[in-house]
Structures are given as structure tokens and as C-alpha cells.
Amino acid sequence: MKTEKAEKANATSQKGSWDALKKATTEMLVLFMLRQKPMYTYQMAQEVERLTQGVLTYNTMYLAVYRLQANGYIEEKEKRIEDGRARIYLTPTPAGVSYYETLRQEYQLFTATLNTLMEQDGTIYNGGTSDA
């Protein structure tokens, strides 16, 4: 029983970490997708899932889209009626393109620094001891 609980807690913790990483990168991903072509929100989520072969899935990107719109980083390009549904196609503003570049540079610096640190696993403190 104890092992079952530990496994369940570990799975919950891993999912929470994964969700936190997705949440932290959603705005950057939305801006990236809109740099490729104007899209509506649901289409972006579908395309991300397709392009990442299902590794990244989003139930919704609407909160990130609303934040980006409120901050002037994306705007409506056009509205169309398709299959009886109104589709609002979005595109990045010049400020959004600049914001995307900043986010991307910060993300690359963060992940490169983290990878460099993690490559030193077991070697930082004389063979892995934590004594300073």
C-alpha cells in the first residue's frame, strides 16, 4: 500500500511539473505559432499537438491569448465564418514580435544554463558529497 501511494504521489508531482513547464512557456508558444501564420486559438492548440506528435497538448490556450491581447502583443487579423462557426484569426503585433524574441532569448539562456549545471551531476562537490 505504501508503494502504491508513493507511486501515485510521484505521478501527481511529475504531472504538476509538466503542467508548470507548459504554463510557463504558453505565451512564447502562442507567439511562435502566430509568427508562422495567422491562426485562431483552437487551431493553434491542434497544430501544436500535431507538430509535437502529441507530446505537447493544450486543453486551452485562451487565457494566454487573452493576456497577450490585453498587453497589445497580438491582435485580430480577420474574422471568418467557417463551417457555421466564427473564426477569429490572430497575428502578432510588432510589440508581440519583440516580446517573443525576448521570451525566446530568456528561455534559451535558462535552459542552456540549467543543462550546463545538470551535466555536472555528481562532480560538483568532490564526487557527489554535499559538504561545501
Side-chain angles (χ1 to χ4, degrees):
M1 286 234 188
K2 206 173 198 181
T3 306
E4 235 176 82
K5 283 185 181 181
E7 286 176 8
K8 196 172 194 176
N10 188 34
T12 300
S13 175
Q14 288 174 348
K15 183 182 180 330
S17 296
W18 186 256
D19 288 346
L21 287 169
K22 282 176 33 179
K23 186 176 181 180
T25 56
T26 302
E27 286 187 1
M28 181 175 59
L29 186 58
V30 166
L31 289 165
F32 168 79
M33 293 303 294
L34 293 177
R35 282 171 50 101
Q36 310 315 303
K37 70 176 190 173
M39 293 186 207
Y40 53 93
T41 306
Y42 182 69
Q43 180 185 21
M44 276 188 277
Q46 289 179 313
E47 282 298 289
V48 167
E49 185 171 348
R50 183 183 69 79
L51 293 169
T52 65
Q53 299 171 346
V55 174
L56 295 179
T57 59
Y58 289 84
N59 293 331
T60 181
M61 293 182 147
Y62 289 100
L63 292 177
V65 165
Y66 295 148
R67 276 193 310 272
L68 290 166
Q69 281 180 307
N71 290 317
Y73 295 133
I74 61 176
E75 63 188 4
E76 292 181 12
K77 181 172 174 80
E78 67 178 291
K79 293 180 183 180
R80 291 188 214 159
I81 303 296
E82 297 175 359
D83 300 324
R85 293 190 168 137
R87 303 284 188 209
I88 300 171
Y89 286 80
L90 304 165
T91 190
T93 63
V97 171
S98 177
Y99 181 54
Y100 165 75
E101 289 298 332
T102 299
L103 289 174
R104 196 182 91 189
Q105 289 169 4
E106 289 173 353
Y107 172 80
Q108 288 174 336
L109 175 62
F110 181 86
T111 56
T113 302
L114 186 59
N115 284 335
T116 299
L117 180 62
M118 301 298 277
E119 287 170 0
Q120 298 176 57
D121 186 27
T123 65
I124 296 174
Y125 299 107
N126 300 324
T129 64
S130 60
D131 298 330

